Amino acid sequence: MGIVAGIWSWLRGSRRRAAETGGASNPVASPPASGVSSARPDTNWNDPFGSFGSELQISGASSFFQTTPQPAPPAVDPVEKDWLARTIWGEARGESAAGKRAVAAVIMNRVASRRYPNSVQGVVTQHTYVKALGRDIYQFSMWDPLDHNSALARSVTDRDAQFRTCLEIAEEALSGRLSDPTGGATMYYAPAAMYPPGATPRWDFSKLRYTGQIGGHRFYVEI
C-alpha cells in the first residue's frame, strides 16, 4: 500500500504543478510565417539539386526548371517563300548552301531597306523601263521574261534537290533564323557571268562598299 500511496501522491503533485504553469509542460512553438519554413529537412534525404542548401526555404518560389516563354517565330507567307526560293534557285543553284544563303540575305536586306519594295515579290520582280533600250530592265535578270532562266525558275518543283535546299533556306530567311553572311549587302554580281570577261556592272561604285565574295558572287553595301 505504501508504494501505491506514493505513486498517487506524485500524480497529484504533477497535476498541481501543471495547473500552476498554465496546463502545458511542453510549450508548442508558434507556426512559421506563411510560405517560410526554418526547419531543415532530414539530412538523410538525397537532394541532388541542392534545393535545401539555404537556411530558409521559400515555399512559393518558382520551379527550378521554369523558363521564360519564348515568342513564336513569325508565320511564313507561303507565297513569299515560293518567290524567295525560286529566286535563290535561279540566281544561285550552282552555288554551295553558303552561296545560296548569301543571295537570300541580299533579298531580305532589300526588303528591310527603304530604297526597295517591302516584300520579297516586290523586290525580286522590280524593274525599270529604259527608253534607250526600249524595254524593262529587271533588278534580278532571271525574272526578265526574255531570259531563259525565267521559265526554268517558274517551272521547277521540289523534285529538284537544289530547289528543296532553296525552300529550306527561304524558310530560314522568312522566319528570321538566317544569319546574314554578306555584312548587310543589297547588291551583288557574278564576275564569271560578265561579258566581255573582266567587265563590271554599270554601277556607281563610288557609292558602294565591297563586303566580300562568297562563292561566285561579289557583294556590296550601298552607302
Side-chain angles (χ1 to χ4, degrees):
M1 293 297 291
I3 294 174
V4 173
I7 293 173
W8 177 247
S9 176
W10 178 81
L11 288 173
R12 283 189 299 173
S14 296
R15 289 177 179 175
R16 184 171 57 254
R17 287 193 299 273
E20 292 171 355
T21 58
S25 59
N26 295 311
V28 179
S30 300
S34 177
V36 180
S37 172
S38 60
R40 284 186 175 276
D42 184 351
T43 56
N44 293 321
W45 182 73
N46 183 21
D47 179 22
F49 297 108
S51 303
F52 292 95
S54 61
E55 185 69 27
L56 296 179
Q57 299 301 315
I58 309 301
S59 63
S62 299
S63 166
F64 179 84
F65 296 102
Q66 184 175 350
T67 57
T68 303
Q70 298 298 315
V76 173
D77 183 332
V79 175
E80 290 281 272
K81 177 180 174 179
D82 189 70
W83 276 104
L84 181 54
R86 292 180 189 279
T87 305
I88 298 168
W89 185 87
E91 293 282 313
R93 61 181 174 274
E95 297 285 327
S96 65
K100 291 179 177 68
R101 286 188 171 89
V103 168
V106 167
I107 295 169
M108 297 308 298
N109 288 340
R110 287 195 176 199
V111 172
S113 171
R114 294 182 179 181
R115 301 172 188 256
Y116 298 97
N118 61 359
S119 70
V120 170
Q121 182 179 354
V123 163
V124 301
T125 60
Q126 187 177 17
H127 56 276
T128 304
Y129 181 76
V130 178
K131 188 175 181 180
L133 298 176
R135 69 185 194 89
D136 291 322
I137 298 298
Y138 283 72
Q139 292 283 319
F140 290 82
S141 60
M142 56 154 293
W143 289 117
D144 185 336
L146 300 178
D147 191 322
H148 75 284
N149 210 12
S150 177
L152 294 175
R154 292 178 186 277
S155 62
V156 68
T157 71
D158 59 9
R159 287 178 292 182
D160 182 285
Q162 292 289 343
F163 186 57
R164 290 196 298 272
T165 299
C166 294
L167 285 167
E168 293 171 0
I169 293 172
E171 179 84 19
E172 286 180 34
L174 291 168
S175 62
R177 295 182 289 115
L178 180 68
S179 178
D180 181 3
T182 72
T186 53
M187 308 280 284
Y188 68 87
Y189 79 96
M194 300 302 296
Y195 184 82
T200 59
R202 295 179 179 178
W203 298 341
D204 184 351
F205 283 89
S206 68
K207 296 180 180 179
L208 301 175
R209 177 171 55 83
Y210 175 65
T211 63
Q213 181 159 338
I214 302 174
H217 292 113
R218 294 173 63 86
F219 294 87
Y220 298 84
V221 170
E222 295 170 86
I223 56 177

